[in-house]
Coordinates of all heavy atoms in Angstrom, one line a residue:
M197 N 39.9 -39.2 56.9 CA 39.7 -39.2 55.5 C 39.0 -37.9 55.1 O 38.0 -37.5 55.7 CB 38.8 -40.4 55.2 CG 38.4 -40.5 53.7 SD 37.3 -41.9 53.4 CE 38.4 -43.0 52.8
N198 N 39.5 -37.3 54.1 CA 39.0 -36.0 53.6 C 37.9 -36.3 52.5 O 38.2 -37.1 51.5 CB 40.1 -35.2 52.9 CG 41.0 -34.6 53.9 OD1 40.7 -34.6 55.1 ND2 42.2 -34.2 53.5
Q199 N 36.8 -35.8 52.7 CA 35.7 -35.9 51.7 C 35.6 -34.7 50.9 O 35.5 -33.6 51.5 CB 34.4 -36.3 52.4 CG 34.4 -37.6 53.0 CD 33.0 -38.0 53.5 OE1 32.1 -37.2 53.5 NE2 32.9 -39.2 54.1
I200 N 35.5 -34.8 49.6 CA 35.3 -33.7 48.7 C 33.8 -33.5 48.5 O 33.1 -34.4 48.2 CB 36.0 -33.9 47.3 CG1 37.5 -34.1 47.5 CG2 35.7 -32.8 46.4 CD1 38.2 -34.6 46.3
P201 N 33.3 -32.3 48.9 CA 31.9 -32.0 48.7 C 31.5 -32.0 47.2 O 32.1 -31.4 46.4 CB 31.7 -30.7 49.4 CG 33.0 -30.0 49.4 CD 34.0 -31.1 49.4
H202 N 30.5 -32.8 46.9 CA 30.0 -32.9 45.6 C 28.8 -31.9 45.4 O 28.0 -31.8 46.4 CB 29.5 -34.3 45.2 CG 30.7 -35.3 45.2 ND1 31.6 -35.3 44.2 CD2 31.0 -36.2 46.1 CE1 32.5 -36.2 44.5 NE2 32.2 -36.8 45.6
P203 N 28.7 -31.2 44.3 CA 27.6 -30.4 44.2 C 26.3 -31.2 44.1 O 26.2 -32.2 43.4 CB 27.8 -29.6 42.8 CG 28.9 -30.4 42.2 CD 29.6 -31.2 43.2
T204 N 25.3 -30.7 44.8 CA 24.1 -31.5 44.8 C 23.1 -30.8 43.8 O 23.4 -29.8 43.2 CB 23.4 -31.4 46.2 OG1 23.2 -30.0 46.5 CG2 24.4 -32.0 47.2
L205 N 22.0 -31.4 43.7 CA 20.9 -30.9 42.8 C 20.5 -29.6 43.2 O 20.2 -28.7 42.4 CB 19.8 -31.9 42.7 CG 18.6 -31.6 41.7 CD1 19.2 -31.5 40.3 CD2 17.5 -32.6 41.8
G206 N 20.4 -29.3 44.5 CA 20.0 -28.0 45.1 C 21.0 -26.9 44.6 O 20.5 -25.8 44.4
A207 N 22.2 -27.2 44.6 CA 23.2 -26.2 44.1 C 23.0 -25.9 42.7 O 23.1 -24.7 42.2 CB 24.6 -26.7 44.4
A208 N 22.7 -26.9 41.8 CA 22.5 -26.6 40.4 C 21.2 -25.8 40.2 O 21.2 -24.9 39.4 CB 22.3 -28.0 39.7
V209 N 20.2 -26.1 41.0 CA 19.0 -25.3 40.9 C 19.2 -23.9 41.3 O 18.7 -22.9 40.7 CB 17.8 -25.9 41.7 CG1 16.6 -25.0 41.8 CG2 17.4 -27.3 41.1
E210 N 20.0 -23.7 42.4 CA 20.3 -22.4 42.9 C 21.1 -21.6 41.8 O 20.9 -20.4 41.6 CB 21.1 -22.5 44.2 CG 21.1 -21.2 45.0 CD 19.7 -20.7 45.4 OE1 18.8 -21.6 45.7 OE2 19.5 -19.5 45.4
A211 N 22.1 -22.2 41.2 CA 22.8 -21.6 40.1 C 22.0 -21.2 38.9 O 22.1 -20.1 38.4 CB 24.0 -22.5 39.7
L212 N 21.0 -22.0 38.6 CA 20.1 -21.7 37.5 C 19.2 -20.6 37.9 O 18.9 -19.7 37.0 CB 19.3 -22.9 37.1 CG 18.3 -22.8 35.9 CD1 19.1 -22.5 34.7 CD2 17.5 -24.1 35.8
R213 N 18.8 -20.5 39.1 CA 17.9 -19.5 39.6 C 18.6 -18.1 39.5 O 18.0 -17.1 39.2 CB 17.4 -19.8 41.0 CG 16.4 -18.8 41.5 CD 15.9 -19.1 42.9 NE 15.2 -20.4 42.7 CZ 14.8 -21.1 43.8 NH1 15.1 -20.7 45.0 NH2 14.2 -22.3 43.6
K214 N 19.9 -18.1 39.8 CA 20.7 -16.9 39.8 C 20.9 -16.4 38.3 O 21.0 -15.2 38.1 CB 22.0 -17.0 40.5 CG 21.9 -17.1 42.0 CD 23.2 -17.2 42.6 CE 23.1 -17.3 44.1 NZ 24.4 -17.4 44.8
A215 N 20.9 -17.3 37.4 CA 21.2 -17.0 36.0 C 19.9 -16.4 35.3 O 20.1 -15.6 34.4 CB 21.7 -18.2 35.2
L216 N 18.8 -16.9 35.7 CA 17.5 -16.4 35.1 C 17.1 -15.1 35.6 O 17.4 -14.8 36.8 CB 16.4 -17.5 35.3 CG 16.6 -18.8 34.6 CD1 15.5 -19.8 35.0 CD2 16.6 -18.6 33.1
P217 N 16.3 -14.3 34.8 CA 15.8 -13.1 35.3 C 14.8 -13.3 36.4 O 14.2 -14.4 36.5 CB 15.1 -12.5 34.1 CG 15.6 -13.2 32.9 CD 16.1 -14.5 33.4
P218 N 14.5 -12.3 37.3 CA 13.5 -12.5 38.4 C 12.1 -12.7 37.8 O 11.8 -12.3 36.7 CB 13.6 -11.2 39.2 CG 14.3 -10.3 38.3 CD 15.1 -11.0 37.3
P219 N 11.3 -13.4 38.6 CA 9.9 -13.6 38.2 C 9.1 -12.4 37.9 O 8.2 -12.4 37.0 CB 9.2 -14.4 39.3 CG 10.4 -15.0 40.1 CD 11.5 -14.0 39.9
A220 N 9.4 -11.3 38.5 CA 8.7 -10.0 38.3 C 9.0 -9.5 36.9 O 8.1 -9.0 36.2 CB 9.1 -9.0 39.3
L221 N 10.2 -9.7 36.4 CA 10.5 -9.3 35.0 C 9.7 -10.2 34.0 O 9.2 -9.7 33.0 CB 12.0 -9.5 34.7 CG 12.5 -9.1 33.3 CD1 12.1 -7.6 33.1 CD2 14.0 -9.3 33.2
W222 N 9.6 -11.5 34.3 CA 8.8 -12.4 33.4 C 7.3 -11.9 33.4 O 6.7 -11.9 32.3 CB 8.9 -13.8 33.8 CG 10.2 -14.4 33.5 CD1 11.2 -14.8 34.4 CD2 10.8 -14.7 32.2 NE1 12.3 -15.4 33.8 CE2 12.1 -15.3 32.4 CE3 10.3 -14.5 30.9 CZ2 12.9 -15.7 31.4 CZ3 11.2 -14.9 29.9 CH2 12.4 -15.5 30.1
G223 N 6.8 -11.5 34.5 CA 5.5 -11.1 34.6 C 5.3 -9.8 33.8 O 4.3 -9.6 33.1
F224 N 6.2 -8.9 33.9 CA 6.1 -7.6 33.2 C 6.2 -7.9 31.7 O 5.4 -7.3 30.9 CB 7.3 -6.7 33.6 CG 7.4 -5.4 32.8 CD1 6.4 -4.4 32.9 CD2 8.4 -5.3 31.8 CE1 6.5 -3.3 32.2 CE2 8.4 -4.1 31.1 CZ 7.5 -3.1 31.2
L225 N 7.1 -8.7 31.2 CA 7.2 -9.0 29.8 C 5.9 -9.7 29.3 O 5.4 -9.4 28.2 CB 8.4 -9.9 29.5 CG 9.7 -9.3 29.7 CD1 10.8 -10.3 29.5 CD2 9.9 -8.1 28.8
L226 N 5.3 -10.6 30.1 CA 4.0 -11.2 29.7 C 2.9 -10.1 29.6 O 2.1 -10.1 28.7 CB 3.6 -12.3 30.7 CG 2.3 -13.0 30.5 CD1 2.4 -13.8 29.2 CD2 2.0 -13.9 31.6
L227 N 2.9 -9.2 30.6 CA 1.9 -8.2 30.6 C 2.1 -7.3 29.3 O 1.1 -6.9 28.7 CB 2.0 -7.3 31.8 CG 1.0 -6.2 32.0 CD1 -0.4 -6.7 32.0 CD2 1.3 -5.4 33.2
L228 N 3.3 -7.0 29.0 CA 3.6 -6.2 27.8 C 3.1 -6.8 26.5 O 2.5 -6.2 25.7 CB 5.1 -5.9 27.8 CG 5.6 -4.8 26.9 CD1 5.1 -3.5 27.3 CD2 7.1 -4.8 26.9
V229 N 3.4 -8.1 26.4 CA 3.0 -8.9 25.2 C 1.4 -8.9 25.2 O 0.8 -8.7 24.1 CB 3.6 -10.3 25.2 CG1 2.9 -11.2 24.2 CG2 5.1 -10.2 25.0
L230 N 0.8 -9.1 26.3 CA -0.7 -9.2 26.3 C -1.3 -7.8 25.9 O -2.3 -7.7 25.2 CB -1.2 -9.6 27.7 CG -1.0 -11.1 28.0 CD1 -1.4 -11.4 29.4 CD2 -1.7 -12.0 27.0
M231 N -0.7 -6.7 26.4 CA -1.2 -5.4 26.1 C -1.0 -5.1 24.6 O -1.9 -4.5 24.0 CB -0.5 -4.3 27.0 CG -0.8 -4.4 28.4 SD -2.5 -3.9 28.8 CE -2.4 -2.2 28.6
F232 N 0.1 -5.4 24.1 CA 0.4 -5.2 22.6 C -0.6 -6.0 21.8 O -1.2 -5.5 20.8 CB 1.8 -5.6 22.3 CG 2.1 -5.5 20.8 CD1 2.3 -4.2 20.2 CD2 2.1 -6.6 20.0 CE1 2.5 -4.1 18.9 CE2 2.3 -6.5 18.7 CZ 2.6 -5.2 18.1
T233 N -0.8 -7.2 22.2 CA -1.7 -8.1 21.4 C -3.2 -7.5 21.5 O -3.9 -7.5 20.4 CB -1.7 -9.5 22.0 OG1 -0.4 -10.0 21.9 CG2 -2.6 -10.5 21.1
A234 N -3.6 -7.1 22.6 CA -4.9 -6.6 22.8 C -5.1 -5.3 22.0 O -6.1 -5.1 21.3 CB -5.3 -6.3 24.2
S235 N -4.1 -4.4 22.1 CA -4.2 -3.1 21.3 C -4.2 -3.3 19.8 O -4.9 -2.7 19.1 CB -3.1 -2.1 21.7 OG -1.8 -2.7 21.4
Y236 N -3.4 -4.3 19.4 CA -3.4 -4.6 17.9 C -4.7 -5.2 17.5 O -5.2 -4.8 16.4 CB -2.2 -5.6 17.6 CG -2.1 -5.9 16.2 CD1 -1.4 -5.1 15.4 CD2 -2.7 -7.0 15.6 CE1 -1.2 -5.3 14.0 CE2 -2.6 -7.3 14.3 CZ -1.8 -6.5 13.5 OH -1.7 -6.7 12.1
A237 N -5.3 -6.0 18.3 CA -6.6 -6.6 17.9 C -7.7 -5.6 17.9 O -8.5 -5.5 16.9 CB -7.0 -7.7 18.9
V238 N -7.7 -4.6 18.8 CA -8.7 -3.6 18.8 C -8.5 -2.7 17.6 O -9.4 -2.3 16.9 CB -8.6 -2.8 20.1 CG1 -9.4 -1.5 20.0 CG2 -9.1 -3.6 21.3
G239 N -7.2 -2.3 17.3 CA -6.9 -1.4 16.2 C -7.3 -2.1 14.9 O -7.8 -1.4 13.9
A240 N -7.1 -3.4 14.7 CA -7.4 -4.1 13.5 C -8.9 -4.2 13.3 O -9.4 -4.1 12.2 CB -6.8 -5.5 13.5
S241 N -9.6 -4.3 14.4 CA -11.1 -4.4 14.3 C -11.8 -3.1 14.0 O -12.8 -3.0 13.4 CB -11.7 -5.1 15.6 OG -11.5 -4.2 16.7
V242 N -11.2 -2.0 14.6 CA -11.8 -0.7 14.4 C -11.5 -0.1 13.0 O -12.4 0.5 12.4 CB -11.3 0.3 15.5 CG1 -11.7 1.7 15.2 CG2 -11.7 -0.1 16.8
G243 N -10.3 -0.4 12.5 CA -10.0 0.1 11.1 C -9.2 1.4 11.2 O -8.7 1.8 12.3
P244 N -9.0 2.0 10.0 CA -8.1 3.2 10.0 C -8.7 4.4 10.8 O -9.9 4.5 10.9 CB -8.0 3.5 8.5 CG -9.1 2.8 7.9 CD -9.5 1.6 8.7
V245 N -7.8 5.2 11.3 CA -8.3 6.4 12.1 C -8.8 7.4 11.2 O -9.9 8.0 11.5 CB -7.1 6.9 12.9 CG1 -7.5 8.2 13.6 CG2 -6.5 5.9 13.9
A246 N -8.2 7.7 10.0 CA -8.7 8.7 9.1 C -8.9 8.0 7.8 O -8.0 7.8 7.0 CB -7.7 9.8 9.0
P247 N -10.1 7.5 7.5 CA -10.4 6.8 6.3 C -10.1 7.5 5.0 O -9.7 6.9 4.0 CB -11.9 6.5 6.3 CG -12.2 6.6 7.8 CD -11.3 7.6 8.3
G248 N -10.1 8.8 5.0 CA -9.8 9.6 3.8 C -8.4 9.8 3.5 O -7.9 10.3 2.5
M249 N -7.5 9.4 4.5 CA -6.1 9.6 4.3 C -5.5 8.5 3.4 O -5.8 7.3 3.7 CB -5.4 9.6 5.7 CG -4.0 10.0 5.7 SD -3.3 10.0 7.3 CE -4.1 11.4 8.0
H250 N -4.7 8.9 2.5 CA -4.1 7.9 1.6 C -2.6 8.1 1.6 O -2.1 9.2 1.9 CB -4.6 8.1 0.1 CG -6.1 8.0 0.0 ND1 -6.7 6.8 0.1 CD2 -7.0 8.9 -0.2 CE1 -8.0 7.0 -0.1 NE2 -8.2 8.3 -0.2
G251 N -1.9 7.0 1.3 CA -0.5 7.1 1.3 C 0.0 7.8 0.1 O -0.7 8.2 -0.8
T252 N 1.3 8.1 0.0 CA 1.9 8.8 -1.1 C 2.0 7.8 -2.3 O 2.3 6.7 -2.1 CB 3.3 9.3 -0.8 OG1 4.1 8.3 -0.4 CG2 3.2 10.4 0.4
R253 N 1.7 8.4 -3.4 CA 1.8 7.6 -4.7 C 2.9 8.2 -5.5 O 3.0 9.4 -5.7 CB 0.5 7.6 -5.4 CG -0.6 6.9 -4.7 CD -1.9 6.9 -5.5 NE -3.0 6.7 -4.6 CZ -3.8 7.6 -4.1 NH1 -3.6 8.8 -4.4 NH2 -4.8 7.2 -3.3
T254 N 3.8 7.3 -6.1 CA 4.8 7.8 -6.9 C 4.7 7.1 -8.3 O 4.5 5.9 -8.4 CB 6.2 7.4 -6.4 OG1 6.3 7.9 -5.1 CG2 7.3 8.0 -7.2
T255 N 4.7 7.9 -9.3 CA 4.6 7.4 -10.7 C 6.0 7.0 -11.2 O 7.0 7.4 -10.6 CB 3.9 8.4 -11.6 OG1 4.7 9.6 -11.6 CG2 2.5 8.8 -11.2
P256 N 6.0 6.3 -12.3 CA 7.3 5.9 -12.8 C 8.3 7.1 -13.1 O 9.5 7.0 -13.0 CB 7.0 5.1 -14.1 CG 5.6 4.5 -13.8 CD 5.0 5.6 -13.0
D257 N 7.7 8.2 -13.5 CA 8.6 9.4 -13.8 C 8.9 10.2 -12.5 O 9.7 11.2 -12.6 CB 7.9 10.3 -14.8 CG 6.6 10.9 -14.3 OD1 6.1 10.5 -13.3 OD2 6.1 11.8 -15.0
G258 N 8.4 9.7 -11.3 CA 8.8 10.3 -10.1 C 8.1 11.6 -9.7 O 8.5 12.3 -8.8
T259 N 7.0 12.0 -10.4 CA 6.3 13.2 -10.1 C 5.3 13.1 -9.0 O 4.8 14.0 -8.5 CB 5.6 13.7 -11.4 OG1 4.6 12.8 -11.8 CG2 6.6 14.0 -12.5
G260 N 5.0 11.9 -8.6 CA 4.0 11.7 -7.6 C 2.6 11.7 -8.1 O 1.6 11.7 -7.3
G261 N 2.4 11.8 -9.4 CA 1.1 11.7 -10.0 C 0.4 13.0 -10.1 O -0.8 13.1 -10.5
H262 N 1.0 14.1 -9.7 CA 0.4 15.4 -9.8 C 1.1 16.3 -10.9 O 2.2 16.7 -10.7 CB 0.4 16.2 -8.5 CG -0.3 15.4 -7.4 ND1 -1.7 15.4 -7.3 CD2 0.1 14.7 -6.3 CE1 -2.1 14.6 -6.3 NE2 -1.0 14.2 -5.7
D263 N 0.4 16.5 -12.0 CA 1.1 17.3 -13.0 C 0.9 18.8 -12.9 O 1.6 19.6 -13.4 CB 0.5 16.9 -14.4 CG 0.9 15.5 -14.7 OD1 1.9 15.0 -14.2 OD2 0.1 14.8 -15.5
D264 N -0.2 19.2 -12.1 CA -0.5 20.7 -12.0 C 0.2 21.3 -10.8 O 0.1 22.5 -10.6 CB -2.0 20.9 -11.9 CG -2.6 20.1 -10.8 OD1 -1.9 19.4 -10.1 OD2 -3.9 20.3 -10.6
G265 N 0.9 20.5 -10.0 CA 1.6 21.1 -8.8 C 0.8 21.3 -7.6 O 1.3 21.8 -6.6
D266 N -0.5 21.1 -7.6 CA -1.3 21.2 -6.4 C -1.1 20.1 -5.5 O -0.8 19.0 -5.8 CB -2.8 21.3 -6.8 CG -3.2 22.5 -7.6 OD1 -2.5 23.5 -7.4 OD2 -4.2 22.5 -8.3
M267 N -1.3 20.4 -4.2 CA -1.2 19.4 -3.2 C -2.5 18.6 -3.1 O -3.6 19.2 -3.2 CB -0.9 20.0 -1.8 CG 0.5 20.6 -1.8 SD 0.8 21.5 -0.2 CE 0.5 20.3 1.0
D268 N -2.4 17.3 -2.8 CA -3.6 16.5 -2.6 C -4.1 16.8 -1.2 O -3.5 16.3 -0.3 CB -3.3 15.1 -2.9 CG -4.6 14.2 -2.7 OD1 -5.7 14.7 -2.7 OD2 -4.4 13.0 -2.6
M269 N -5.2 17.4 -1.0 CA -5.7 17.7 0.3 C -6.8 16.7 0.8 O -7.4 17.0 1.8 CB -6.3 19.2 0.3 CG -5.3 20.2 0.0 SD -3.9 20.2 1.1 CE -4.6 20.9 2.6
G270 N -6.9 15.6 0.1 CA -7.9 14.6 0.6 C -9.3 15.1 0.5 O -9.8 15.6 -0.5
D271 N -10.0 15.0 1.6 CA -11.4 15.4 1.7 C -11.6 16.7 2.4 O -12.5 16.9 3.2 CB -12.2 14.3 2.5 CG -12.2 13.0 1.8 OD1 -12.2 12.9 0.5 OD2 -12.2 11.9 2.4
M272 N -10.7 17.7 2.1 CA -10.8 18.9 2.8 C -11.7 19.9 2.1 O -11.6 21.2 2.3 CB -9.4 19.5 3.1 CG -8.7 18.6 4.1 SD -7.1 19.2 4.6 CE -7.6 20.5 5.6
G273 N -12.5 19.5 1.2 CA -13.5 20.3 0.5 C -12.9 21.5 -0.3 O -12.0 21.3 -1.1
G274 N -13.4 22.7 -0.1 CA -13.0 23.8 -0.9 C -11.8 24.6 -0.4 O -11.6 25.8 -0.7
M275 N -11.0 24.0 0.5 CA -9.8 24.7 1.1 C -8.8 24.9 0.0 O -8.4 23.9 -0.7 CB -9.3 24.0 2.3 CG -10.3 24.0 3.4 SD -9.5 23.3 4.9 CE -8.3 24.5 5.3
H276 N -8.2 26.1 -0.1 CA -7.1 26.3 -1.1 C -5.9 26.9 -0.4 O -6.1 27.6 0.6 CB -7.6 27.3 -2.2 CG -8.8 26.8 -3.0 ND1 -8.7 25.8 -3.9 CD2 -10.1 27.2 -2.9 CE1 -9.9 25.6 -4.4 NE2 -10.8 26.4 -3.8
M277 N -4.8 26.5 -0.9 CA -3.5 27.0 -0.3 C -3.0 28.1 -1.2 O -2.6 27.8 -2.3 CB -2.6 25.8 -0.1 CG -3.2 24.7 0.7 SD -2.3 23.9 2.0 CE -1.0 24.9 2.5
N278 N -3.0 29.3 -0.8 CA -2.4 30.4 -1.6 C -1.2 30.9 -1.0 O -1.1 31.9 -0.3 CB -3.5 31.6 -1.6 CG -4.8 31.1 -2.3 OD1 -4.7 30.4 -3.3 ND2 -5.9 31.6 -1.8
H279 N -0.1 30.2 -1.2 CA 1.2 30.6 -0.7 C 1.8 31.6 -1.6 O 1.9 31.4 -2.8 CB 2.2 29.4 -0.6 CG 1.7 28.4 0.4 ND1 1.7 28.6 1.7 CD2 1.2 27.1 0.3 CE1 1.3 27.6 2.4 NE2 0.9 26.6 1.5
G280 N 2.3 32.7 -1.1 CA 3.0 33.7 -1.8 C 2.2 34.5 -2.9 O 2.7 34.9 -3.8
S281 N 0.9 34.6 -2.7 CA 0.0 35.3 -3.6 C 0.1 36.8 -3.5 O -0.2 37.5 -4.4 CB -1.4 34.8 -3.5 OG -1.9 35.2 -2.2
G282 N 0.7 37.2 -2.3 CA 0.9 38.7 -2.1 C -0.4 39.5 -1.9 O -0.3 40.7 -2.0
G283 N -1.5 38.9 -1.7 CA -2.7 39.4 -1.5 C -3.2 40.7 -1.5 O -3.9 41.5 -1.7

């Protein structure tokens, strides 16, 4: 009598093991997520790197809020930009 081999539970587990990524990859991904979470938490608790730095502002007319054409240099004191003054 010929017996047809039936797949056992061990064969199903082995097929599933081959389909999933290796455990080292799962460990790396977990480490990556933990590092990102920790760095985000530290960055959020410390605050901005340059507190005087502001984002760009655009007015409804599209000029950026500067009518005199000067660049906003933030907290750089008395520094002036003299481009093309021919000195």
Side-chain angles (χ1 to χ4, degrees):
M197 174 184 260
N198 291 340
Q199 291 186 357
I200 299 172
H202 295 287
T204 61
L205 184 60
V209 170
E210 198 59 37
L212 184 62
R213 185 176 297 168
K214 287 182 180 181
L216 292 176
L221 180 61
W222 288 113
F224 174 73
L225 291 176
L226 178 64
L227 180 65
L228 194 65
V229 167
L230 290 174
M231 293 290 288
F232 176 77
T233 304
S235 65
Y236 184 82
V238 168
S241 67
V242 170
V245 175
M249 187 178 290
H250 301 288
T252 59
R253 294 181 197 100
T254 305
T255 58
D257 62 353
T259 61
H262 299 288
D263 295 333
D264 57 359
D266 290 337
M267 292 175 54
D268 181 17
M269 297 303 286
D271 295 325
M272 295 185 73
M275 294 184 70
H276 299 286
M277 307 225 19
N278 297 324
H279 295 290
S281 62

